[in-house]
Amino acid sequence: MLEKTEPLTDQEKGLFGAFGNGAKIRPPFRILNPHRIFIGDFVSIREEAYLHAYEDLTKLYDFIDEAYKGDFDLSQYRYDSRIVIGREVQIGRNFFISCTNSVEIGRNVTISERVFIGDNNHSFSHPDVPIMQQPNKIGTPVLIGSGSWIGAGASLLPGTTLGKNTVIGTLSAVRGEFPDHAVIGPEPAKLLFVKQPPPE
């Protein structure tokens, strides 16, 4: 794991599956299993990036109550993940990728601040084991088409496929397959109710 408040050294860049010419990740950042992460030329990732390509979470199994350990298998905590970020991608602050299978971002994508991309989710199948101790699910791949723009605060969920030159609006929670040149946005905010003050 690379967790730093200083820029990557050339030696640390060599730990990645690929780290392109002119690419940069501004500190601070947290990179889990960089050998599973492939970054293209001239990629710019701003501060507070969390790139988590999960490989082995068997340490979580150790915390499970002995009465329930038999309900899980260590293989459920191992993953073959891969994160690919194409060339000339621009990514804003507070970016988070959670990957247990595959997340691929095409070329020339713009990603605003506070964006989450996850191909997986926590398991919550066991009623007596804390969710944080249960294995993450094997992810369903996420693919972002080249030339797309992801608005601030958006979340791209497991199985999302975006065509090229697609726009994702601010605060959208996105799941599904979308064609090229799509514009996707959340419902506008609406009044849910007005709480009346208690009578005097």
Side-chain angles (χ1 to χ4, degrees):
M1 180 172 67
L2 296 171
E3 188 165 15
K4 299 191 67 183
T5 56
E6 304 158 351
L8 289 165
T9 65
D10 288 341
Q11 182 178 7
E12 288 165 340
K13 291 176 183 178
L15 299 174
F16 285 75
F19 199 93
N21 293 327
K24 57 189 173 187
I25 304 175
R26 295 182 185 271
F29 51 77
R30 188 173 194 266
I31 313 293
L32 188 62
N33 296 314
H35 60 283
R36 293 182 171 274
I37 300 173
F38 300 79
I39 295 176
D41 295 341
F42 307 110
V43 167
S44 176
I45 303 176
R46 300 289 300 194
E47 298 86 353
E48 302 288 353
Y50 287 71
L51 306 180
H52 291 184
Y54 293 108
E55 185 172 271
D56 187 340
L57 292 177
T58 53
K59 62 186 176 184
L60 299 177
Y61 180 84
D62 297 337
F63 294 98
I64 297 176
D65 187 293
E66 289 294 334
Y68 306 120
K69 281 192 173 181
D71 296 335
F72 297 93
D73 188 280
L74 284 175
S75 65
Q76 294 175 278
Y77 293 85
R78 295 190 179 100
Y79 311 97
D80 185 17
S81 60
R82 179 181 172 91
I83 296 172
V84 178
I85 301 175
R87 61 178 289 133
E88 300 172 38
V89 169
Q90 303 289 310
I91 298 174
R93 295 172 179 85
N94 300 109
F95 179 58
F96 184 15
I97 292 181
S98 174
C99 178
T100 59
N101 186 343
S102 174
V103 171
E104 184 172 348
I105 300 170
R107 300 169 61 160
N108 302 110
V109 171
T110 301
I111 298 177
S112 302
E113 298 186 352
R114 304 183 315 280
V115 169
F116 169 78
I117 301 174
D119 71 356
N120 66 95
N121 206 341
H122 290 283
S123 295
F124 49 94
S125 58
H126 200 296
D128 299 308
V129 175
I131 291 171
M132 68 178 297
Q133 295 173 7
Q134 298 187 43
N136 283 28
K137 295 178 180 178
I138 299 296
T140 306
V142 173
L143 174 63
I144 300 173
S146 294
S148 294
W149 171 32
I150 313 300
S155 296
L156 277 63
L157 305 177
T160 296
T161 297
L162 304 181
K164 68 181 181 181
N165 294 341
T166 291
V167 176
I168 303 297
T170 297
L171 299 178
S172 297
V174 182
R175 183 193 302 266
E177 296 187 18
F178 299 89
D180 296 347
H181 312 293
V183 178
I184 302 156
E187 293 291 333
K190 62 183 178 181
L191 178 66
L192 299 178
F193 65 91
V194 176
K195 185 169 173 112
Q196 299 296 326
E200 294 186 12

